[in-house]
């Protein structure tokens, strides 16, 4: 990516009354390493304090994944080469490194599979997919797939010069890993071989030219165990496409488009907007996505000690119908600039948003019945270099 990343990833732990967040940030230009920080929310004061800082995830900690019931966190470093790091969240709140392994360059997302005994990585640049086993808190290499190209892979010359694999995502059966590739307008699909655990190339899902698939989320409507939908967010066009997924007898998946919506809901996407994250809420009733580089809101400063109005990017919420169509619910300020990632608490009553360009994390209350994001609950600043 051209832009420096700050607050690349957030994971929320624990229930609404007493909770912690883990946030990652790239290194500042003056610092050799990035940071992984543990934030603790004090309900009585509303403070969100840094209680631990780790520099054990290389230069560019870009994606965090809680494992072992929340007692360890896996962190990928987007450096070239990259690294895959396992940190322990100690009982006293500190973070310590358990293990680390070198990976192909540019990993930006991880996904555990096979009962968390293996993990798949998406590598943005240089483009690749890799996998590792995890045993006794140690990663060992399983497979590497690289994507070579001798020219542009899509119509956007700046962003589609080659494949750029952006996310690793498991399907609801646990039998497939999907990898949206922003550069090549495709989602790569691998079947997890039930006997060997190997990733086996399966038929891909082609995106529309120039759309730039970035991230995706699966959804199964409540009480309809036969239906599976896949929602893909496209960074280059700020569009979400909903697909009905069919598991074919030959082992491939097939996808039928059922809806397409813009990430600004009832408005057009401003020029230059870059949609980022997409997640189904824990209540399973709503789809939430983030918009960057298009601050359409001016808001009261979320920092209570600062009265200057600030510009804000946005979060959009949709309600999927049982047929997989996406009904617009609301478009609201995210509370700062460049919301790369957001996370929910267990029941979806809180949403935490990391702002790469503001260096802040905001936590908002969320109504799980209406899907609406309401008042600010907590705020933390100075969490990364501002670039
Ligand atoms: C916290 O726990 C870790 C792991 O047990 C230990 O290494 C560290 O010294 C402890 N830190 C404090 C401040 O007690
Ligand atoms: C994949 O590449 C990494 C980094 O070069 C290397 O350490 C690892 O052994 C490779 N994995 C396999 C299965 O060859
Ligand atoms: C891509 O290039 C690498 C290094 O030259 C090679 O090992 C790999 O097999 C190539 N992959 C494909 C899919 O052609
Ligand atoms: C927000 O403030 C900026 C700078 O003051 C201004 O240019 C912009 O028009 C305002 N946007 C809205 C939606 O009010
Ligand atoms: C207050 O907020 C503005 C806008 O984000 C910022 O430029 C300014 O540095 C802040 N002031 C303080 C004292 O933090």
């Amino acid at each position: 990516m051209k832009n420096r990343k700050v607050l690349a990833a957030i994971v929320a732990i624990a229930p609404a009354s007493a909770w912690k967040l883990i946030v990652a940030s790239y290194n500042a230009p003056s610092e050799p390493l990035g940071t992984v920080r543990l934030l603790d929310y004090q309900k009585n004061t509303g403070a969100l304090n840094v209680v631990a800082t780790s520099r054990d995830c290389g230069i560019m900690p870009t994606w965090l994944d809680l494992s072992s019931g929340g007692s360890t966190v896996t962190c990928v470093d987007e450096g070239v080469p990259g690294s895959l790091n396992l940190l322990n969240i100690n009982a006293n709140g500190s973070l310590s490194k358990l293990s680390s392994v070198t990976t192909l360059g540019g990993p930006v997302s991880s996904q555990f599979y096979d009962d968390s005994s293996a993990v798949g990585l998406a590598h943005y640049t240089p483009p690749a997919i890799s996998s590792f086993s995890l045993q006794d808190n140690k990663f060992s290499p399983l497979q590497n797939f690289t994507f070579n190209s001798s020219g542009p892979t899509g119509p956007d010359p700046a962003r589609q010069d080659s494949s750029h694999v952006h996310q690793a995502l498991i399907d609801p059966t646990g039998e497939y890993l999907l990898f949206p590739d922003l550069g090549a307008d495709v989602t790569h699909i691998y079947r997890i071989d039930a006997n060997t655990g190997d990733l086996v190339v399966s038929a891909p899902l082609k995106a529309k030219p120039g759309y730039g698939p970035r991230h995706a989320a699966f959804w199964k409507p409540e009480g309809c165990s036969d239906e599976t939908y896949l929602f893909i967010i496209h960074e280059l066009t700020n569009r979400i496409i909903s697909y009905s997924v069919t598991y074919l007898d030959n082992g491939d998946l097939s996808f039928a488009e059922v809806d397409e919506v813009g990430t600004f809901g009832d408005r057009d996407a401003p020029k230059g907007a870059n949609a980022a994250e997409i997640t189904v809420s824990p209540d399973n009733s709503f789809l939430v996505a983030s918009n960057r580089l298009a601050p359409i809101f001016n808001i009261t400063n979320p920092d209570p000690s600062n009265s200057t109005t600030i510009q804000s990017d946005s979060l959009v919420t949709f309600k999927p119908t049982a047929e997989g169509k996406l009904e617009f619910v609301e478009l609201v300020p995210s509370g700062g600039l460049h919301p790369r990632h957001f996370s929910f608490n267990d029941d979806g009553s809180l949403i935490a948003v990391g702002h790469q360009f503001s260096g802040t994390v905001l936590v908002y209350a969320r109504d799980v019945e209406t899907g609406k994001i309401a008042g600010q609950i907590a705020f933390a600043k100075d969490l990364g270099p501002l670039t």
Side-chain angles (χ1 to χ4, degrees):
M1 297 288 281
K2 303 287 182 291
N3 297 318
R4 295 192 65 77
K5 291 177 200 152
V6 178
L7 301 178
I10 308 188
V11 229
I13 348 173
S17 54
W19 42 264
K20 293 181 169 53
L21 285 170
I22 303 181
V23 301
S25 166
Y26 272 20
N27 66 311
S30 58
E31 299 278 352
L33 295 168
T35 56
V36 179
R37 292 185 169 101
L38 188 66
L39 306 184
D40 183 43
Y41 173 62
Q42 305 287 326
K43 202 173 182 191
N44 52 345
T45 61
L48 192 53
N49 296 324
V50 176
V51 292
T53 300
S54 164
R55 295 194 180 266
D56 284 324
C57 189
I59 319 178
M60 300 162 143
T62 192
W63 186 266
L64 300 169
D65 203 343
L66 275 182
S67 35
S68 311
S71 65
T72 62
V73 61
T74 297
C75 178
V76 296
D77 161 25
E78 198 188 343
V80 181
S83 64
L84 174 60
N85 306 283
L86 190 66
L87 307 180
N88 198 55
I89 304 168
N90 300 315
N92 65 13
S94 67
L95 296 167
S96 54
K97 180 152 95 178
L98 291 169
S99 67
S100 181
V101 67
T102 299
T103 68
L104 293 172
V108 290
S109 163
S110 63
Q111 173 68 64
F112 280 93
Y113 59 97
D114 270 355
D115 294 327
S116 297
S117 66
V119 62
L121 305 186
H123 301 256
Y124 188 85
T125 299
I129 286 167
S130 68
S131 61
F132 292 81
S133 64
L134 176 62
Q135 249 194 329
D136 301 329
N137 290 334
K138 281 209 166 65
F139 294 106
S140 309
L142 289 175
Q143 287 173 286
N144 286 338
F145 302 90
T146 52
F147 298 88
N148 306 327
S149 57
S150 51
T153 46
D156 184 329
R159 302 295 306 281
Q160 298 187 310
D161 55 319
S162 74
S163 272
H164 291 296
V165 188
H166 219 309
Q167 187 192 21
L169 178 72
I170 198 160
D171 83 311
T173 67
E175 293 169 6
Y176 294 84
L177 287 186
L178 279 71
F179 299 88
D181 181 336
L182 183 147
D185 283 330
V186 73
T187 294
H188 305 286
I189 299 176
Y190 290 76
R191 187 171 51 77
I192 302 163
D193 186 285
N195 297 317
T196 62
D198 282 352
L199 301 183
V200 181
V201 177
S202 190
L205 164 59
K206 286 200 171 68
K208 297 178 190 180
Y211 267 50
R214 172 188 170 95
H215 283 183
F218 279 97
W219 181 65
K220 290 181 77 68
E222 225 57 66
C224 318
S225 57
D226 292 349
E227 296 292 336
T228 302
Y229 295 99
L230 178 68
F231 307 125
I232 300 188
I233 193 163
H234 298 85
E235 177 173 333
L236 303 183
T237 50
N238 304 291
R239 308 288 288 174
I240 297 170
I241 298 185
S242 167
Y243 297 94
S244 167
V245 184
T246 305
Y247 291 78
L248 301 176
D249 290 341
N250 72 359
D252 286 341
L253 305 182
S254 84
F255 300 87
E257 181 178 327
V258 294
D259 204 3
E260 174 171 342
V261 294
T263 61
F264 286 79
D266 55 359
R267 310 189 194 189
D268 289 336
K271 206 169 162 32
N274 261 200
E277 192 53 276
I278 186 166
T279 307
V280 171
S281 57
D283 44 80
N284 201 42
S285 298
F286 297 93
L287 184 69
V288 182
S290 63
N291 290 306
R292 302 173 298 176
L293 297 174
I296 53 170
F297 295 110
N298 289 333
I299 60 165
T300 302
N301 203 311
D303 180 352
S305 70
N306 189 327
S307 59
T308 312
T309 297
I310 63 160
Q311 292 191 295
S312 174
D313 274 313
S314 56
L315 295 175
V316 67
T317 297
F318 294 93
K319 186 169 180 61
T321 68
E323 295 75 39
K325 292 203 178 287
L326 295 171
E327 287 175 354
F328 174 61
V329 174
E330 65 170 9
L331 181 70
V332 295
S334 62
L337 298 178
H338 221 73
R340 171 174 294 275
H341 194 71
F342 57 84
S343 295
F344 298 94
N345 65 336
D346 282 351
D347 67 2
S349 62
L350 296 171
I351 181 170
V353 193
H355 293 103
Q356 177 176 337
F357 290 174
S358 309
T360 60
V361 166
L362 270 98
V363 181
Y364 293 105
R366 185 178 163 275
D367 185 324
V368 297
E369 299 299 323
T370 63
K372 295 200 169 175
I373 294 165
Q376 178 176 324
I377 298 281
F379 169 78
K381 60 182 177 181
D382 302 330
L383 295 174
L386 309 181
T387 50

